[in-house]
Structures are given as C-alpha cells and as structure tokens.
Amino acid sequence: MSRQMVRPGGRSARVQASVHTAVRELEAEVGRDALTVPLVAQRAGVTPSTIYRRWGDLTELLSDVAVERLRPDTAPKDHGGLASDLAAWAEQFLDEMASPAGRAYIRDALLGDPDGTNAGQCSAYAADQVGLILARATGRGDDVPEVETVIDRVVAPLMYRILFRPAGLDAAYARGLVAGLLGPVGEDG
C-alpha cells in the first residue's frame, strides 16, 4: 500500500471520497455494468490516470468501494443479554449481507482482492462488532465465548450460506446458529 493511500486527510482523502461518491452515484444512475474508469473519473473531477495510479483498474476500485459500503455504520444494539444481542446482530448481518446489494458488495470486495486484504478487512468488521457484543456481555458478568468461536460458529456458516446456499436462509437460521453456540435465545440472565 502506498504512503499516499494511508495518509489521513489532504488531497488523497478528497480524491478517495469524490471517486467513491462518483461510483455510488453512477451505479444508481447507469448501473454497475455501464461503469468505466473514464466515466467515474469525469464524475469525480479527476483524471483517469489518477484512478489507475491509485486503484489499478475498475475491479480494484469497485472492490475498495464495496469494502467501505460493507463497513457497519452503527454499534450493535443492546438487547439486555448476550444471546439476544448476538441473535439480533446475526439477523441484521444476514439481512444486510444476503440482500442483493450486500451480495454484490461481497462479490466486488472479493473480485478486486488479489492478496486477501479486503476479505480480511470485511472479516475484521464482523469481528469488531462481535467483540463489542462480547465486551458488553462481559461487563454484565456473563460468561462469553471467544470472538473467533463466534466467527467460526455463527458468522462463517452465515457467509457460506449467503454465498453458496442462499435458499431457505432466514432469521430462524441465524437465531439457530446463536442458540447452537449459547443455548436458546431468551435464556439470557
């Protein structure tokens, strides 16, 4: 990763913001399949060479935008207990990731990710959210599993089903995964 890409603020941040905005606007207006680097550059007010230098190609740009779109924008809600908190979060995660937009973002994030950086970032988003839920439960005095255990027993099966076996995937499935890990939802205490 270049020094320019990680520098907070300044021109680099403005370029990233304007290019990301251009991609989102153009996706809504003309559709993803009609996007080109010159079209995005024109909308963002930068040259195509700026985009090629920073992102490499359209696939990597769309991947970068997708990772940003997959970032949670709120902390998990507090429902009063570990099982209910985790079940509610798993249902919301499923709703967002299994939606047509969520599935497209996942696909784009992985397509432009030759070294696994974007996949790792998306995984970190989920782990951070789970970590917040577990920390809150620990503060209430609950016994909590490790973050990686929740990733393995709840998040990983959800993602597999979203990507490869979406038929019949619903909130009951998400709650069942949590119940399989913690016991039936509603037995908080």
Side-chain angles (χ1 to χ4, degrees), residues 39-118:
L39 187 63
V40 171
Q42 180 182 15
R43 173 64 63 95
V46 300
T47 64
S49 64
T50 297
I51 292 176
Y52 289 122
R53 217 176 16 258
R54 180 164 181 154
W55 285 279
D57 62 19
L58 184 62
T59 301
E60 290 185 39
L61 170 58
L62 293 176
S63 184
D64 189 45
V65 170
V67 170
E68 190 60 33
R69 296 295 294 269
L70 290 168
R71 177 193 309 268
D73 54 4
T74 60
K77 289 191 172 85
D78 187 344
H79 297 275
L82 176 58
S84 53
D85 285 358
L86 200 53
W89 178 83
E91 287 181 45
Q92 180 180 351
F93 180 84
L94 174 60
D95 285 346
E96 291 172 2
M97 297 299 157
S99 71
R103 290 169 56 89
Y105 295 142
I106 293 165
R107 182 193 64 230
D108 283 346
L110 299 178
L111 276 176
D113 189 27
D115 63 2
T117 302
N118 292 346

Side-chain angles (χ1 to χ4, degrees), residues 6 16 37 41 51 62 89 109 122 173 180-181 185:
V6 296
Q16 179 174 347
V37 168
I51 292 176
L62 293 176
W89 178 83
C122 292
Y173 178 76
L181 175 63
V185 176

Side-chain angles (χ1 to χ4, degrees), residues 95-152:
D95 285 346
E96 291 172 2
M97 297 299 157
S99 71
R103 290 169 56 89
Y105 295 142
I106 293 165
R107 182 193 64 230
D108 283 346
L110 299 178
L111 276 176
D113 189 27
D115 63 2
T117 302
N118 292 346
Q121 184 59 59
C122 292
S123 177
Y125 294 156
D128 289 347
Q129 293 266 296
V130 168
L132 289 169
I133 292 168
L134 298 181
R136 196 165 49 219
T138 299
R140 289 190 294 253
D142 296 345
D143 288 331
V144 300
E146 296 291 323
V147 170
E148 288 303 311
T149 302
V150 177
I151 296 295
D152 289 345

